[in-house]
Amino acid sequence: MATMNMLQAVNNALITAMNDDEKVMVFGEDVGHFGGVFRATSNLQQTFGKGRCFNTPLTEQGIIGFATGLASQGSVPVAEIQFADYIFPAFDQIVNETAKFRYRSGGQFSCGTLTIRTPYGGGIAGGLYHSQSPEAFFAHVPGLKVVIPRNPYQAKGLLLASIRDDNPVLFMEPKRLYRASVGEVPEEDYQLPLGKADIVKEGTDITLLAWGAQVEIIEKAAAMAQEQGISCEVIDLQSILPWDIETVCSSVEKTGRLLINHEAPLTAGFASEIAASVQEKCFLHLESPICRVCGLDTPYPLAHEKEYMPDHLKTFEAIKRTVNF
Amino acid sequence: MKDRNHLANIGLVHQVNVIENGLIDIPMLQVLQPDGTLHPQAELPTITQQLGLKVLQTMQYVRLLDERMVAAQRQGRISFYLACTGEEASTVASAAALEPQDMIMSQYREQGALAYRGFTSKEFMDQMFSNQNELNKGRQMPIHYGSKPLNFMTISSPLGTQIPQASGYAYGQKMAGLEAVTICYFGEGAASEGDFHAGLNMAAVLSCPVIFFCRNNGYAISTPSEEQFKGDGIASRGLGYGVRTIRVDGNDVLAVYAATQTARELALAHQCPVLIEAMTYRLAAHSTSDDPTSYRSKDEEGSWQLKDPVTRFKTWMQSKGWLDEKHNLAFIEQTRQDILKELKLAEQVPVCPIEQIIEDVYDTPPWHLKAQLAELKTHIDMYPEAYPKTSGRS
């Protein structure tokens, strides 16, 4: 075990993958010699050469188009989009090309080896264009997997699993935790399963569900609720698509209540999909309406960032409302 | 790290200098004149009688296929078709200059390249009738071919998306140490898409052995090229991106063959992209959903009929004494019969069973797709008459 922050864990996962398979190639804007604007790709070019870790021109649609073609050739690309806010020029490539590559060719061709890494989320004074959480857009696209880690241990294990998974994976990294989240990470190779949620803390009165940086927010709210005698079960969804309905529904059947927290705006966020599915499966177990604590339906504001965020206090109040419904 | 100075090679001026005409003369390679005679100064590429016959027969084949399938669409037997009439030389002769291991990433009017690779009438028909024999499992509209064994990437409808993908594919070929290139076909209209610029720039910067083959056929559906771009065609853009560029008469088999052969040699020798702009004309409608009489004149079409690439090359083959007329007529008759026979067979073949609707979304179907399929099958069983293609089959 070694103590790492999330960036070091991502970097360590990339080194592990590149050592393990010479077909793994890492590229994007500034990821080469510089090592990426957050330093997630530090020393990769120096270690593995310019052929396997390189800068690309500043073109997100080009990066994903290139990566999709490269994957279909048999390489294992790990493409970086510098900020999730800038992924939209590549939306057509991801939605119409990457995600449909296997289906449209009847399985003859595939770009399943592709992994797209991108930092997402707020809390860093990034304003409108360095703070967004666009996971719901991609959760609407058959053929993609969407994965989000909450800490360094999950980041390494889930990233290695994403790189080796034979489906295109959008791996979204909570940049607020890049340096803030520190933990023990095995130095050896390991993977965590995709499509599986993780029960972070067991409880009996209400299920709290989040992913990425919001997991620590609901944990904090759960600790506050505990002091008031409310026992919360805390679940990290980890995979947004496909998502682990079984773990979530088992928990809700036990607690009878569900609160979902995400940073992205409320309307048509992924919490809506979860709420719809859970009420269908667990209708007779529910003691109260499923509750969503999310970002506002505004662009991500700079000056009002703190007010915008679905923080532990908003979550704590929502827990009390739901339990006392 | 070495110090860099990006001004090092720039000269100075001391008055405001506006470049009003930055165009340079980009000539067009022509070997055969429109009448099919060899241009007096032209350098003839190395071509055997056997290769010449294969190219001619493939061009004749796709013309027959196009005629038959446009008619089949008019009869309501298939929903859609897209002919390549007038552009056969561009796609067939370029494919002839490649090796089988080279990947072809096409737009949608390159059936000539696919036929040259050996795609059969049966395979064409299975695709157009989206039946269960189709290599892509009948998931896309007619003409969206794809064949892994023939290294012909499955076509997608969005325009230009294959251009950066071709750069990436070629980069992978280079990194794997393969003696292979990727050819990427597209039209002059698609070259307005952002993906064109992204793809060419990335290929140049990252040294990808890819041939970008633009069919400049004068129209993007109804939009003429003068409403598509202001510069000198597509070739001038290659120069802007630092890409080796060739402009060629796209209706001249020998010129297209020579240009593509050179492009392939350059791409492999220098591990670099090459752009070919083939000047041609879409004698056909854009698709069976299009009516060109509303945007161009019969006289204009007539002037291009005189430059017909099939006639031009056939005349040259005859002048060489390489074409047996009787044999060729028999080939045409036989081909016509084969196409019709395969059409009739393919339209009788059922579509894939319903279970395949969830296959290939992922490597294995996840829980939610399995649940949705189970629900769908129960529903189909309740209303079998409403779903005649799939009910009662599993």
Side-chain angles (χ1 to χ4, degrees), chain A residues 51 97 103 108 144 167 243, chain B residues 148 156 171 357 362-363 367:
Chain A
E97 298 292 318
Y103 196 75
Q108 290 191 92
L144 291 183
N167 298 286
W243 65 285
Chain B
K148 178 104 174 172
S156 76
Y171 189 85
I357 198 170
Y362 295 93
D363 55 347
W367 65 269

Side-chain angles (χ1 to χ4, degrees), chain A residues 139-140 240 243 260 268-279 292, chain B residues 367:
Chain A
H140 199 59
I240 309 303
W243 65 285
I260 311 154
F270 198 66
S272 313
E273 173 59 34
I274 296 170
S277 296
V278 171
Q279 65 83 22
R292 293 175 293 163
Chain B
W367 65 269

